[in-house]
Amino acid sequence: MKKLLLSLVAVAGLVYGAQAQTEKGNFMLGGNVGVNSTKVDGAPKADFKFSVLPSIGYFVGNNFAIGTGVGYEYDKKVSNRTQEGAFKVAPFGRYYVGLSDQFKFFGQLSVPLAFGELKATDANGDNAVKLGTTTNIGVELAPGFAFFPTKKIGIELSVKGLSYDNYTVKAEGTGAKAKTNTFGLNADTFAPRLGVQFYF
């Protein structure tokens, strides 16, 4: 009887722990870091891209969190003689639906914003000269799954999903603007995003 009682308490603790992570009043802390290097034939050096975007969210209701990410992205393409750096802000809202005690489906709507500078480089990727300022405003709806192995950690697997981007370059000196609008659905299950969130 004592073993049965202890087992029931342990199971209740696991269920409570899984549900408590996304309860109203809790916080989630996470983010992403990306590094990519690509060597294009004929280019003297490899293209290099780096991004970091830590994020924090607060559960305003059970299973519903709002928050933001703040970070920086650097993209140097020696292959086409450009270099871009941008400060990023990405407010988001996320809603969880419980599938079991340790698995939850979520949908996240975010509005990533980036403000930076576009520069031209020489053939070796050096001597950068400012071409203009850049603004990127987007909307992204991303689905995913979260697995909770412990009370404070969630391992996530998601895809980019439905997205829209408005990218503007304002030329230095003249102020002329060039805009690019991109709309797409990217649900590539062979290139998912893996992340970790901490709940407290």
Side-chain angles (χ1 to χ4, degrees), residues 100-130:
S100 70
D101 294 341
Q102 290 183 298
F103 287 93
K104 290 191 178 186
F105 170 82
F106 66 84
Q108 178 170 301
L109 178 66
S110 60
V111 185
L113 311 168
F115 308 94
E117 292 183 347
L118 179 65
K119 297 180 179 181
T121 68
D122 59 24
N124 291 318
D126 302 320
N127 304 313
V129 177
K130 184 178 177 181

Side-chain angles (χ1 to χ4, degrees), residues 110 112 135-141 160-169 178-186:
S110 60
T135 304
N136 191 48
I137 300 172
V139 178
E140 180 181 310
L141 181 60
K160 186 174 182 180
L162 193 63
S163 65
Y164 168 78
D165 284 293
N166 177 282
Y167 178 75
T168 303
V169 179
K179 295 185 179 182
T180 304
N181 293 300
T182 306
F183 178 80
L185 174 63
N186 186 349

Side-chain angles (χ1 to χ4, degrees), residues 27-194:
F27 287 89
M28 57 188 280
L29 181 66
N32 62 62
V33 175
V35 179
N36 187 38
S37 180
T38 306
K39 183 69 167 67
V40 177
D41 285 345
K45 296 179 182 177
D47 295 347
F48 178 76
K49 185 173 183 177
F50 169 78
S51 66
V52 58
L53 189 71
S55 62
I56 187 168
Y58 175 73
F59 285 89
V60 294
N62 288 341
N63 297 316
F64 180 62
I66 60 171
T68 190
V70 179
Y72 181 77
E73 183 174 84
Y74 173 81
D75 191 3
K76 187 172 188 176
K77 292 186 175 73
V78 179
S79 57
N80 68 1
R81 302 187 182 187
T82 61
Q83 174 182 309
E84 185 174 355
F87 172 74
K88 299 182 73 174
V89 180
F92 67 86
R94 178 184 285 198
Y95 186 74
Y96 289 86
V97 176
L99 301 176
S100 70
D101 294 341
Q102 290 183 298
F103 287 93
K104 290 191 178 186
F105 170 82
F106 66 84
Q108 178 170 301
L109 178 66
S110 60
V111 185
L113 311 168
F115 308 94
E117 292 183 347
L118 179 65
K119 297 180 179 181
T121 68
D122 59 24
N124 291 318
D126 302 320
N127 304 313
V129 177
K130 184 178 177 181
L131 295 177
T133 57
T134 62
T135 304
N136 191 48
I137 300 172
V139 178
E140 180 181 310
L141 181 60
F145 290 93
F147 167 62
F148 298 96
T150 72
K151 187 176 179 180
K152 297 188 179 292
I153 297 175
I155 300 171
E156 301 177 353
L157 189 67
S158 65
V159 294
K160 186 174 182 180
L162 193 63
S163 65
Y164 168 78
D165 284 293
N166 177 282
Y167 178 75
T168 303
V169 179
K170 184 178 180 181
E172 188 76 359
T174 66
K177 293 182 180 180
K179 295 185 179 182
T180 304
N181 293 300
T182 306
F183 178 80
L185 174 63
N186 186 349
D188 187 355
T189 55
F190 293 101
R193 295 184 289 194
L194 185 65

Side-chain angles (χ1 to χ4, degrees), residues 3-21:
K3 287 182 180 180
L4 178 61
L5 183 60
L6 288 174
S7 297
L8 289 173
V9 170
V11 169
L14 285 174
V15 172
Y16 172 77
Q19 292 175 342
Q21 289 156 333

